[in-house]
Amino acid sequence: MIEIRDKTFYLQMRRSSYWFELTEHGHLRHLHYGPLLPIQDPTPLRLKYTQELSGLLIDPEDRLYSLDHLLLEYSSFGKGDFRESPLEIEWPDGRFNVDLSYAGYRHYRNSEPVSEEGDIPGDLSIDFLSLGLPAPDQEGAETLLIRLVDEFSLIAVDLIYLVYSDFDVIVRTTRVVNLGTEPFRILKQMSFMLDLPNRAFSHLTLHGLWGKEAHVSVAPLTVGTFSSGAETGTSSNQHNPGLMLLAGDESGYAYGLNIIYSGNHYTSVSLNSMNLCRVQQGLHPSRFKKTLSAGESFTVPLCIATFSDNFDNGVSQNFHDFINARLMPFAFREKPRPIVYNNWEATFFDFTEKKLLSLAKRAKSLGCELFMLDDGWFGSRDDDKRSLGDYHVNKKKFPRGLAPFYDKITGLGLEAGIWVEPEMISEDSDLYRAHPEYVLAEPGRTPATGRHQLVLDLCNPEVRDYLVKSLSELFDALPITYVKWDMNRNLSDVYSRVLGSQEDVYHQYVLGLYDVLRRVFTPRPHLMLEMCSSGGNRFDLGMLSFASLIWSSDDTDPIERLKIQEGLSYFYPPSAISNHVSSSPHQATFRTTPLSTRFNVASFGVLGYELDLDLLGPLEIKEIRDQIEFYKAHRELFQFGRFSRQKAVKKNKVIWQTVRDDRAVIGLFQTLGMALEPFDRLSVTGLEPDRFYVIETKPQRLFLERFGELIKHALPVKINPRGFAFAQLNKRYSLQDAVERYEASGKMLQNGMLLKNQFLGSYYNEEVRMLGDFGSSLYTVMPLDSL
Ligand code: DGJ
């Protein structure tokens, strides 16, 4: 709900409030972003000064009013606010001062102007779709548009707020309008700015690289500026755009911010010596400019902000609910994601149709639901050096073409998917030979390559039309329901031959990409889209406006994935996080991990398999069948449940839980084991306190190879643990990992229960929890009265 009283703007949500007011000098003063407060006189919330300030005065008569000491709703530059400005404008003569004052507002409910309200004439509403910007559905949202104007320079800045009460979410963006006759250049235009009095904040962001995406970084906010951003042309695995601010006091206050965008982005948090904190987010200002002629306007990508007083998990849950319900493609909201078998790590480029069909049959018999044919099916693509752009079938691998292969896949009762990398082109490709001008590169300069490939110029409408046509034809000719869209290098040598000016070429590339995605996938709502960019190089909200899930990382080692998936969970829902069980030792880390842990980690999100199924032993086959059956029984919990990260008191533990409809699954993961591990406590939150539940360990096999020489003592027969006989035995015989089962009230579960001891170095028995290095268990919780 938005209420406006005496030029105070009250944005009231289910559990949070956001307030600001007009000052006597025409600026907007930020008052409150925090828990829901009843509407009232905001005086107690104002920053108060009773003495003359050391800053600059805009009115010599008012010696207590200085912009540098105010909490502002949006700032500009030139009148004494010396904090980082969210807006930089330059006129042809080089001048840059902008002095914005409040001019009026419009209030919209369900996109209709609220009658009798608002004091700016005309319809100022914005159609994000027609601007090519991804935006959440506005169902249930109220919109507030505040117009700020510099009458001297004839520039307007519209602050736009979409208020989603049910989700405790505010989506913000800004539009700059040239009201004059002289053109000017926007050098920086942030979508979001927020001034807050500091609460000993820390900032949390995600950083990494290929294979180690989304590692969490938390640091206390200190005087100065912390900034994080990407200039790779993607949202990037180096610095994801999500930001949290976490209060260091006891309040539990936490703020989340994330831009709905897939290109260069910028976020900063600064603190000045008066303990005032400023956060801003938007398009990265480096290598970006936008010239606006008379009457023209420019709207930047939208940002999602949310608040919770339930620490970081509260913020994550707000993000998850909102993304699932308002941002993701309509046809796939709350739609169960299938269990995919993907052939990539099993075969890489080296496969035949026969091999794929063998994998598909095995996948089907295990319970997988969809066969995803990855890279290498087209052109002469037997390695990564060629053929991107030539999406016609590789006749050596599929002598009778693709359609008969896919018919066989669907004939097995599997759905089918296909891999493409449409934004890229190999120099060794028919497309490049025919159209070298399709490449994003400066004419005459040799462009850098990444994975032997160049980038197509998506600013060029001809290239976009070509992609839309060729992809549409490809997809329509096959009985597929799933597409994996890959993108395996960052942008370099960025220059488009078709743009008159290169000033916003990076942004135009991203808008071009959105245009292609919209034209290909909107008319084909039966196609579920999995985004991928060398793993998680483009894990962002822009992509999630088109895709139902994103491949998180090429690093499928479950212990590495604990960090990656946990990092992503801060900002993105489990329904979007694509995880596969792969082989052990892992092909990138050489770490040996139990099959149970590979599944237990991958199940928190969207489960798939990606190992060579033809190499599995009979027991592994049984184990995977059981895993898939278990996942299917709890799929909604894993994909759409209320996910939270539990604070593990022990350094060698990671604990996750997901709750839905008063049922839960908890994952307890051990990174490195230790000798004589002290007791483990497991708690479950978010259940009804007085209801009774059964908590039970998910049964899983304990493969004999885990025991090493200890097996001599655990088995009734003496056997050489390095011998052939043992290897055979290991394939066919296993022990059952310890299962615990308790009945307890929700309150007791919240308090935590003490688990049976882990192996203490001798005297193995069946009730001992055998975790060791990289061991893990899942626990299910069901209401007693439902059993
Ligand atoms: C990178 C992706 O992350 C992998 O899953 C796989 O699709 C390869 N590209 C194929 O080239």
Side-chain angles (χ1 to χ4, degrees):
M1 180 191 73
I2 298 174
E3 192 150 332
I4 302 145
R5 290 191 199 166
D6 300 330
K7 294 291 184 293
T8 301
F9 297 83
Y10 298 95
L11 280 45
Q12 298 288 85
M13 290 156 279
R14 188 181 44 170
R15 286 190 289 250
S16 55
S17 298
Y18 185 111
W19 296 355
F20 54 93
E21 66 179 354
L22 183 62
T23 71
E24 53 284 25
H25 296 288
H27 301 108
L28 289 176
R29 179 193 345 250
H30 182 78
L31 290 166
H32 170 66
Y33 189 22
L36 177 64
L37 302 176
I39 291 178
Q40 57 194 290
D41 175 4
T43 305
L45 297 172
R46 268 183 214 126
L47 206 55
K48 298 168 195 73
Y49 300 106
T50 60
Q51 284 177 290
E52 180 163 341
L53 298 163
S54 63
L56 302 180
L57 304 179
I58 54 160
D59 174 2
E61 300 301 312
D62 188 351
R63 309 197 71 80
L64 301 183
Y65 192 93
S66 170
L67 287 177
D68 213 21
H69 295 278
L70 282 172
L71 297 169
L72 292 167
E73 208 36 39
Y74 204 73
S75 183
S76 43
F77 189 82
K79 287 284 181 191
D81 178 5
F82 296 113
R83 291 164 290 181
E84 187 182 348
S85 170
L87 184 72
E88 288 176 27
I89 305 284
E90 188 181 74
W91 278 268
D93 65 356
R95 74 179 194 279
F96 44 75
N97 295 308
V98 179
D99 181 20
L100 296 170
S101 297
Y102 173 81
Y105 73 91
R106 298 285 294 179
H107 177 188
Y108 299 87
R109 196 170 289 138
N110 290 329
S111 309
E112 294 297 317
V114 176
S115 56
E116 309 296 326
E117 289 191 57
D119 47 13
I120 324 174
D123 180 12
L124 298 179
S125 61
I126 300 186
D127 176 8
F128 298 109
L129 196 66
S130 70
L131 296 174
L133 292 172
D137 277 5
Q138 297 200 26
E139 191 195 323
E142 284 185 61
T143 306
L144 179 65
L145 185 148
I146 305 267
R147 174 153 282 198
L148 307 176
V149 170
D150 181 338
E151 296 287 358
F152 182 81
S153 295
L154 295 175
I155 172 171
V157 176
D158 292 331
L159 309 181
I160 293 128
Y161 303 77
L162 309 181
V163 180
Y164 294 85
S165 299
D166 292 348
F167 298 92
D168 286 299
V169 157
I170 300 179
V171 176
R172 282 184 61 179
T173 185
T174 57
R175 168 171 62 186
V176 168
V177 190
N178 187 345
L179 303 175
T181 50
E182 193 183 13
F184 59 73
R185 262 181 165 184
I186 303 168
L187 304 180
K188 178 183 181 188
Q189 180 184 340
M190 292 289 102
S191 311
F192 178 96
M193 188 195 107
L194 177 67
D195 281 356
L196 290 172
N198 191 14
R199 281 181 184 267
F201 286 128
S202 296
H203 43 79
L204 181 150
T205 42
L206 306 179
H207 301 274
L209 273 178
W210 174 79
K212 48 187 287 181
E213 294 87 344
H215 284 215
V216 173
S217 163
V218 188
L221 177 62
T222 49
V223 173
T225 300
F226 164 82
S227 74
S228 175
E231 287 190 73
T232 48
T234 59
S235 48
S236 120
N237 49 29
Q238 300 183 6
H239 307 287
N240 191 276
L243 169 88
M244 277 195 198
L245 269 192
L246 307 170
D249 56 17
E250 295 304 304
S251 62
Y253 286 12
Y255 302 83
L257 180 64
N258 203 355
I259 192 166
I260 309 177
Y261 192 59
S262 311
N264 294 350
H265 56 87
Y266 175 82
T267 305
S268 75
V269 192
S270 50
L271 186 70
N272 71 6
S273 296
M274 295 299 281
N275 214 18
L276 303 183
C277 164
R278 171 168 292 177
V279 188
Q280 53 189 285
Q281 185 168 67
L283 286 179
H284 203 298
S286 291
R287 276 142 297 271
F288 164 81
K289 290 173 204 68
K290 184 80 192 170
T291 300
L292 292 190
S293 300
E296 286 184 338
S297 65
F298 182 60
T299 305
V300 281
L302 298 86
C303 291
I304 300 181
T306 185
F307 165 84
S308 170
D309 55 11
N310 191 19
F311 304 92
D312 53 290
N313 274 319
V315 166
S316 298
Q317 287 159 3
N318 288 352
F319 274 129
H320 296 176
D321 291 349
F322 184 73
I323 294 164
N324 279 329
R326 289 288 175 274
L327 191 74
M328 284 217 177
F330 193 77
F332 298 104
R333 291 191 189 152
E334 293 264 327
K335 179 159 180 181
R337 280 47 169 159
I339 300 168
V340 164
Y341 176 74
N342 180 309
N343 69 297
W344 177 245
E345 284 194 24
T347 63
F348 296 120
F349 295 101
D350 184 15
F351 57 80
T352 58
E353 183 174 356
K354 195 166 158 227
K355 172 69 182 171
L356 296 181
L357 286 170
S358 157
L359 291 171
K361 275 185 204 136
R362 212 10 101 73
K364 172 69 188 171
S365 79
L366 293 174
C368 291
E369 296 161 328
L370 190 144
F371 185 87
M372 229 317 295
L373 172 58
D374 212 281
D375 196 356
W377 60 264
F378 53 91
S380 43
R381 187 130 167 114
D382 296 325
D383 55 35
D384 59 11
K385 296 195 174 65
R386 64 204 86 248
S387 293
L388 288 176
D390 299 344
Y391 294 107
H392 45 76
V393 68
N394 179 320
K395 284 276 180 173
K396 266 202 299 181
K397 291 178 182 166
F398 300 93
R400 285 161 309 125
L402 263 193
F405 167 73
Y406 273 101
D407 287 342
K408 285 201 178 128
I409 295 290
T410 52
L412 289 171
L414 287 166
E415 289 185 58
I418 197 163
W419 179 99
V420 282
E421 193 176 356
E423 296 159 76
M424 297 292 150
I425 181 166
S426 308
E427 281 174 286
D428 183 1
S429 68
D430 296 340
L431 182 64
Y432 186 76
R433 283 181 280 273
H435 291 288
E437 79 284 4
Y438 275 10
V439 162
L440 196 67
E442 277 186 56
R445 190 199 282 270
T446 309
T449 54
R451 211 192 187 205
H452 315 285
Q453 61 204 47
L454 302 172
V455 183
L456 284 171
D457 177 7
L458 299 197
C459 310
N460 184 342
E462 190 181 314
V463 173
R464 297 204 299 270
D465 290 349
Y466 166 79
L467 285 178
V468 172
K469 184 168 178 295
S470 57
L471 292 171
S472 303
E473 283 169 6
L474 174 68
F475 298 159
D476 291 346
L478 298 172
I480 53 168
T481 53
Y482 195 93
V483 171
K484 179 174 172 190
W485 180 297
D486 208 341
M487 196 274 196
N488 283 303
R489 57 159 290 180
N490 287 325
L491 272 47
S492 71
D493 303 277
V494 175
Y495 182 97
S496 167
R497 290 165 196 256
V498 299
L499 293 182
S501 154
Q502 304 295 314
E503 57 180 25
D504 64 339
V505 56
Y506 274 105
H507 183 52
Q508 291 301 329
Y509 178 90
V510 179
L511 294 182
L513 168 64
Y514 291 153
D515 176 57
V516 174
L517 288 169
R518 199 169 282 127
R519 286 160 62 196
V520 172
F521 290 99
T522 308
R524 294 177 182 78
H526 63 287
L527 290 180
M528 185 176 274
L529 177 59
E530 178 179 17
M531 267 296 161
C532 172
S533 179
S534 305
N537 191 39
R538 219 166 39 183
F539 210 118
D540 63 65
L541 298 178
M543 289 292 110
L544 285 179
S545 317
F546 298 95
S548 308
L549 66 167
I550 302 180
W551 179 232
S552 333
S553 176
D554 284 351
D555 193 341
T556 48
D557 173 325
I559 303 306
E560 295 303 302
R561 277 296 187 115
L562 286 174
K563 292 177 235 164
I564 296 168
Q565 291 173 216
E566 176 151 317
L568 291 172
S569 76
Y570 278 85
F571 300 97
Y572 307 99
S575 61
I577 303 178
S578 174
N579 310 316
H580 294 174
V581 171
S582 64
S583 62
S584 168
H586 189 261
Q587 300 187 16
T589 61
F590 303 123
R591 185 181 280 135
T592 303
T593 52
L595 181 53
S596 51
T597 293
R598 283 176 269 153
F599 166 76
N600 294 344
V601 174
S603 61
F604 280 88
V606 183
L607 173 73
Y609 286 79
E610 182 152 350
L611 67 177
D612 190 341
L613 303 178
D614 292 332
L615 302 180
L616 295 175
L619 273 189
E620 289 172 312
I621 290 177
K622 279 195 183 140
E623 180 72 2
I624 292 182
R625 254 184 216 139
D626 292 348
Q627 292 175 344
I628 291 181
E629 200 181 311
F630 179 85
Y631 186 83
K632 284 179 178 167
H634 300 283
R635 186 191 322 238
E636 296 211 331
L637 255 172
F638 283 124
Q639 297 184 355
F640 299 103
R642 181 147 284 243
F643 176 88
S644 49
R645 303 161 293 270
Q646 289 192 8
K647 219 169 230 132
V649 272
K650 290 181 176 180
K651 281 212 173 83
N652 66 346
K653 296 285 180 315
V654 173
I655 305 175
W656 296 336
Q657 71 159 54
T658 174
V659 182
R660 187 175 160 107
D661 299 331
D662 224 22
R663 279 146 213 267
V665 178
I666 302 100
L668 180 137
F669 307 98
Q670 181 154 289
T671 47
L672 290 182
M674 60 168 91
L676 297 172
E677 171 99 22
F679 67 85
D680 284 319
R681 178 183 285 122
L682 190 72
S683 64
V684 193
T685 56
L687 300 172
E688 285 180 34
D690 298 326
R691 203 168 176 190
F692 273 79
Y693 299 87
V694 174
I695 180 163
E696 195 168 12
T697 323
K698 173 197 171 293
Q700 57 189 20
R701 284 177 178 76
L702 205 51
F703 285 83
L704 298 184
E705 64 195 2
R706 282 289 273 170
F707 287 82
E709 288 197 22
L710 184 66
I711 203 67
K712 290 190 292 191
H713 312 292
L715 286 186
V717 284
K718 292 280 166 271
I719 190 159
N720 174 1
R722 292 179 222 282
F724 176 77
F726 178 72
Q728 296 310 308
L729 202 63
N730 182 54
K731 283 190 190 156
R732 293 187 162 69
Y733 186 71
S734 67
L735 298 175
Q736 185 73 27
D737 209 349
V739 170
E740 294 182 68
R741 183 184 190 279
Y742 305 102
E743 291 178 12
S745 66
K747 207 158 194 175
M748 186 187 276
L749 288 173
Q750 170 143 12
N751 165 79
M753 47 175 231
L754 301 178
L755 298 174
K756 287 181 179 164
N757 64 279
Q758 292 195 36
F759 185 58
L760 297 175
S762 54
Y763 304 115
Y764 165 80
N765 70 57
E766 282 178 0
E767 294 196 56
V768 170
R769 291 164 55 235
M770 296 292 288
L771 267 69
D773 284 355
F774 321 129
S776 64
S777 298
L778 296 185
Y779 299 84
T780 55
V781 182
M782 301 285 199
L784 188 58
D785 51 32
S786 73
L787 296 173

